[in-house]
């Protein structure tokens, strides 16, 4: 089993919709998680850090479910500009990085 | 803040030659830098982790003699692809992370697109 797994999608949603996707992890020692977005042929950009149960930033909400070992990303009121691939990654308590998940592709359509 | 630059952004080289890619943290001290490779429509693959002043730790399957990493200062790491072959053509991305007190977020450089002919 991979350390970090994501549904590759694509998730096709209409503009204005709310969409959520999960990232599951296998290492129970994982302490911190991050969501990145990556546009085609570009580098990943940090979207949100999750150090405790969750984090919220505008239309974006990340939640961490430790018993079930997954983190979720919720995007409300989707914009066309939200179309991208969303990557998650976790760190264990030694600060060592787990591998990135394969990414979930989101396509927001007019 | 937290800007990482990478140079060159694009390079085309002939098979058998070596290519050096630079990764710089511009406004923070990067105690750890990571090098990734990404093939089209695939996920990021971690190649190696380097801590300033130490030898890099390579992921399984990555040849350390082919991909030379130097992290001589807190703001600069270099990746040299030696004796490049067409199968080394890929998107190489570095990321940098500060010390534990600054959080564990990684900040990525813009990437280097390598084409080996």
């Amino acid at each position: 089993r991979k350390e970090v797994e994501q549904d590759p999608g694509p998730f096709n949603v209409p503009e204005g919709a709310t969409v959520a996707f999960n990232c599951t992890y296998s290492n129970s020692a994982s302490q911190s998680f991050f969501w990145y977005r990556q546009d085609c042929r570009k580098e990943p950009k940090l979207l949100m850090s999750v150090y405790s149960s969750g984090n919220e930033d505008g239309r974006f909400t990340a939640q961490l479910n430790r018993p079930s070992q997954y983190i979720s990303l919720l995007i409300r009121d989707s914009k066309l500009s939200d179309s991208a691939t969303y990557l998650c990654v976790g760190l264990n308590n030694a600060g060592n990085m787990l591998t990135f998940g394969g990414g979930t592709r989101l396509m927001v359509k007019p | 803040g937290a800007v990482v630059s990478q140079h060159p952004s694009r390079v085309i080289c002939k098979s058998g030659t070596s290519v050096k890619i630079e990764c710089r943290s511009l406004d923070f001290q990067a105690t750890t830098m990571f090098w990734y490779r990404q093939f089209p429509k695939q996920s990021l693959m971690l190649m190696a982790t380097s801590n300033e002043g130490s030898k890099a730790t390579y992921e399984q399957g990555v040849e350390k003699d082919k991909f030379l990493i130097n992290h001589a200062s807190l703001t600069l790491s270099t990746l040299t692809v030696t004796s490049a072959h067409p199968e080394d053509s890929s998107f190489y991305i570095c990321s940098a992370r500060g010390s534990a007190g600054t959080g564990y977020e990684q900040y990525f450089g813009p990437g280097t697109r390598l084409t080996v002919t």
Side-chain angles (χ1 to χ4, degrees):
Chain A
R1 182 184 175 186
K2 294 180 181 178
E3 285 184 310
V4 180
E5 293 194 77
Q6 295 182 251
D7 181 343
F11 283 62
N12 295 299
V13 303
E15 202 174 0
T18 295
V19 61
F21 25 84
N22 293 337
C23 172
T24 59
Y25 60 95
S26 59
N27 187 340
S28 60
S30 301
Q31 294 294 315
S32 309
F33 297 88
F34 307 90
W35 281 104
Y36 287 81
R37 70 168 280 166
Q38 186 176 24
D39 294 288
C40 187
R41 299 174 71 85
K42 297 285 188 181
E43 77 278 19
K45 291 190 182 297
L46 181 65
L47 180 66
M48 190 171 288
S49 307
V50 186
Y51 287 109
S52 56
S53 61
N55 195 1
E56 183 173 334
D57 183 5
R59 297 183 295 110
F60 298 86
T61 301
Q63 289 195 315
L64 171 59
N65 185 315
R66 289 194 188 276
S68 300
Q69 294 188 198
Y70 72 86
I71 56 171
S72 61
L73 180 66
L74 177 79
I75 304 175
R76 290 179 294 275
D77 189 22
S78 299
K79 311 291 184 188
L80 297 177
S81 58
D82 293 333
S83 298
T85 296
Y86 291 83
L87 306 165
C88 71
V89 64
L91 291 177
N92 63 19
N93 57 4
N96 297 319
M97 190 195 63
L98 305 178
T99 53
F100 274 82
T104 297
R105 190 174 171 209
L106 172 66
M107 297 180 69
V108 181
K109 299 185 180 297
Chain B
V3 178
V4 178
S5 71
Q6 213 172 315
H7 177 80
S9 58
R10 187 181 296 269
V11 58
I12 300 172
C13 70
K14 292 186 177 180
S15 187
T17 60
S18 295
V19 174
K20 179 186 281 189
I21 303 170
E22 291 187 350
C23 178
R24 294 181 186 272
S25 57
L26 299 185
D27 53 0
F28 68 104
Q29 294 187 324
T31 53
T32 306
M33 286 187 170
F34 304 88
W35 286 96
Y36 296 86
R37 182 166 54 181
Q38 188 174 35
F39 294 104
K41 297 187 178 181
Q42 293 189 23
S43 178
L44 288 169
M45 290 181 57
L46 179 65
M47 299 176 67
T49 302
S50 74
N51 292 298
E52 185 265 337
S54 302
K55 288 185 178 180
T57 301
Y58 290 80
E59 295 298 301
Q60 193 172 11
V62 178
E63 299 174 57
K64 62 180 181 181
D65 294 329
K66 179 172 179 64
F67 299 99
L68 302 178
I69 292 172
N70 185 293
H71 189 170
S73 78
L74 285 171
T75 59
L76 173 64
S77 176
T78 61
L79 167 69
T80 301
V81 182
T82 62
S83 187
H85 291 286
E87 58 265 30
D88 298 324
S89 299
S90 187
F91 190 43
Y92 291 85
I93 314 176
C94 71
S95 70
R97 190 173 78 190
S99 60
T102 61
Y104 287 113
E105 291 86 351
Q106 293 178 60
Y107 296 93
F108 287 83
T112 296
R113 200 161 296 281
L114 171 63
T115 303
V116 184
T117 61

